[in-house]
C-alpha cells in the first residue's frame, strides 16, 4: 500500500494537533460543598488553569470529601497520588509544623489583618516552609473566622463552654486552646461532622459562617455564638514533584490561577459573613452576637503563655502588630 502525499500531510496534521492538545489531567478536592467559599476557590482555580494554559491542563474538581477528608487529601498530595488539594489550616500543622502559629486564637483582629499577614512576608515565608515536605504551596486562601455552635445551650461567656463535647479539627493548637475553655474535645475529620452532630455523638462544633451555612449545620445545631475565637486560613497545595516538572510559564499559570481562586474565595467569605447571621436566624438558629470577647481572651491566658513559649512571643507579636 502506497501513501499519497496528501495522506501524509493529513497524518502529520493530526499528529501535530494531538500534540498541541495533549492534556494533563489533575485532581483537586475539598471537604465542603461545591456551593461554598471553597467550591468557588477550586472552580475558579480549575477554570483559570485551563484558560492560562490553553487547555493543556485540566483540573478535575471533587467536593464534599468525596476523595477523603482534608488530612487524607493532603497526605495524597504529599505522596503524589493526588496532584492538588485545597484545605483549611486544620490538619496542615501535622505536615508543616511551622504553620501552627496561624492557628493561635485571637491572633488576628479581623479579616483584613489576616489577609495582609498571609499576603505579606510572614505568609510568604510560611508558603516556602511547605517545599521541604513534598509540597508546593501555591497560595493562602481563607476559611474564615470560626464561631461556636451547639445543641445544648446558648453560649454567652466562656464558662458556658465548660463540659460541652465539641468536635474539633485535627489541629493541636485548637485542641489545646479549647481544652482550656473546659471543652471536651473530639477531633474528627470534617466529612463525619454532620452525622456526629445529628446523632449527638458531640454537642457542638466550631466553624466559619461559610461552612456552617454550606454544610447545613443549622439542621442539627440550635445555638450559634459569634465567638470569632480563631481565624482559619485555607491553602492551595500541590505535589512538589508535579509542580517542579511544569515548564516555567505553566508554573506561573498555576500560581496565578491560585491567586484568582483566592480572590473569588475571599469575596464569597465576605458575602457569607454579611448575610450569614440573618440567614441562619431565618433557619431557626438562635444567635448570640453580643458577647464580651475580652472574657474569652482572658480565659485563654494560661494557654497563650504556652503558645508564646512554643512559637516565640516575638513571632506572635510580629503577627499581632502587623498593620
Ligand atoms: O474546611 O474541618 C473543618 O472544620 C473545616 O473548617 C472544614 O472542613 C472546612
Amino acid at each position: 500500500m502506497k501513501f499519497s502525499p496528501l495522506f501524509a500531510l493529513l497524518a502529520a496534521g493530526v499528529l501535530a494537533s494531538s500534540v498541541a492538545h495533549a492534556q494533563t489531567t489533575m485532581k483537586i478536592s475539598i471537604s465542603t460543598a461545591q456551593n461554598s467559599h471553597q467550591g468557588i476557590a477550586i472552580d475558579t482555580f480549575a477554570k483559570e488553569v485551563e484558560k492560562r494554559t490553553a487547555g493543556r491542563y485540566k483540573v478535575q474538581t471533587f467536593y464534599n470529601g468525596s476523595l477523603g477528608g482534608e488530612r487524607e487529601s493532603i497526605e495524597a498530595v504529599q505522596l503524589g497520588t493526588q496532584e492538588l488539594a485545597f484545605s483549611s489550616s486544620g490538619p496542615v500543622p501535622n505536615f508543616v509544623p511551622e504553620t501552627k502559629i496561624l492557628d493561635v486564637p485571637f491572633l488576628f483582629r479581623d479579616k483584613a489583618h489576616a489577609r495582609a499577614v498571609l499576603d505579606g512576608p510572614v505568609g510568604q515565608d510560611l508558603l516556602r516552609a511547605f517545599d521541604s515536605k513534598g509540597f508546593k504551596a501555591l497560595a493562602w486562601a481563607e476559611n474564615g473566622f470560626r464561631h461556636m455552635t451547639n445543641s445544648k445551650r446558648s453560649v454567652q461567656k466562656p464558662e458556658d463552654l465548660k463540659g460541652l463535647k465539641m468536635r474539633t479539627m485535627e489541629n493541636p493548637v485548637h485542641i489545646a486552646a479549647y481544652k482550656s475553655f473546659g471543652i471536651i474535645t473530639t477531633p474528627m475529620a470534617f466529612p463525619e461532622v454532620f452525622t456526629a452532630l445529628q446523632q449527638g455523638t458531640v454537642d457542638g462544633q466550631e466553624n466559619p459562617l461559610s461552612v456552617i451555612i454550606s454544610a447545613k449545620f443549622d439542621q442539627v445545631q440550635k445555638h450559634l455564638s459569634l465567638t470569632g475565637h480563631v481565624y482559619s486560613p485555607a491553602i492551595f497545595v500541590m505535589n512538589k514533584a508535579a509542580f517542579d516538572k511544569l515548564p516555567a510559564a505553566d508554573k506561573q499559570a498555576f500560581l496565578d490561577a491560585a491567586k484568582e481562586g483566592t480572590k473569588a474565595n475571599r469575596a464569597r467569605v465576605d458575602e457569607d459573613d454579611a448575610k450569614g447571621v440573618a440567614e441562619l436566624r431565618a433557619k431557626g438558629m438562635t444567635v448570640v452576637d453580643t458577647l464580651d470577647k475580652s472574657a474569652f481572651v482572658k480565659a485563654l491566658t494560661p494557654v497563650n503563655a504556652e503558645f508564646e513559649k512554643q512559637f516565640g512571643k516575638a513571632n506572635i507579636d510580629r503577627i499581632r502588630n502587623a498593620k
Side-chain angles (χ1 to χ4, degrees), residues 295-306:
F296 288 82
V297 174
K298 203 164 150 233
L300 294 183
T301 308
V303 77
N304 255 325
E306 262 170 56

Side-chain angles (χ1 to χ4, degrees), residues 7-36:
F7 179 85
L9 209 67
L10 283 175
V14 167
L15 195 70
S17 78
S18 77
V19 167
H21 290 111
Q23 203 180 43
T24 307
T25 302
M26 299 186 178
K27 292 188 171 73
I28 191 167
S29 62
I30 53 170
S31 273
T32 60
Q34 180 172 18
N35 183 13
S36 71

Side-chain angles (χ1 to χ4, degrees), residues 112-291:
H113 177 202
R115 292 168 184 180
V117 167
L118 293 172
D119 295 346
V122 170
Q124 300 311 297
D125 277 356
L126 285 174
L127 288 182
R128 278 189 289 276
F130 287 73
D131 290 356
S132 63
K133 302 288 162 39
F135 303 103
K136 172 65 189 177
L138 298 176
W140 287 112
E142 181 161 274
N143 203 23
F145 272 98
R146 304 179 78 87
H147 306 293
M148 309 228 181
T149 72
N150 81 90
S151 56
K152 294 275 182 214
R153 55 180 172 262
S154 169
V155 169
Q156 323 250 358
K157 46 190 192 320
E159 295 75 45
D160 299 331
L161 292 169
K162 280 210 173 76
L164 279 181
K165 192 165 180 200
M166 305 244 307
R167 174 270 175 174
T168 74
M169 297 206 284
E170 299 161 273
N171 182 298
V173 179
H174 290 189
I175 293 169
Y178 304 165
K179 278 203 170 114
S180 71
F181 278 132
I183 289 171
I184 302 165
T185 54
T186 309
M188 195 186 287
F190 186 76
E192 293 160 42
V193 179
F194 187 93
T195 307
L197 294 170
Q198 189 172 43
Q199 297 182 341
T201 319
V202 289
D203 303 322
Q205 64 85 46
E206 41 78 58
N207 250 304
L209 293 177
S210 296
V211 176
I212 297 171
I213 293 166
S214 61
K216 301 187 166 54
F217 285 160
D218 52 275
Q219 295 180 359
V220 287
Q221 295 280 270
K222 179 72 186 156
H223 305 283
L224 164 63
S225 291
L226 298 186
T227 44
H229 52 280
V230 68
Y231 175 82
S232 188
I235 193 156
F236 284 97
V237 284
M238 184 163 180
N239 174 264
K240 178 89 164 53
F243 182 80
D244 285 346
K245 77 175 188 235
L246 298 176
D250 292 343
K251 284 191 172 103
Q252 198 54 49
F254 274 68
L255 291 166
D256 292 344
K259 275 212 187 83
E260 292 301 320
T262 295
K263 246 189 245 164
N265 155 258
R266 287 174 176 172
R268 174 65 183 263
V269 173
D270 287 340
E271 242 176 74
D272 290 342
D273 279 347
K275 58 173 203 218
V277 169
E279 202 172 315
L280 291 168
R281 277 198 173 117
K283 289 187 166 147
M285 290 190 94
T286 57
V287 184
V288 178
D289 55 1
T290 52
L291 32 77

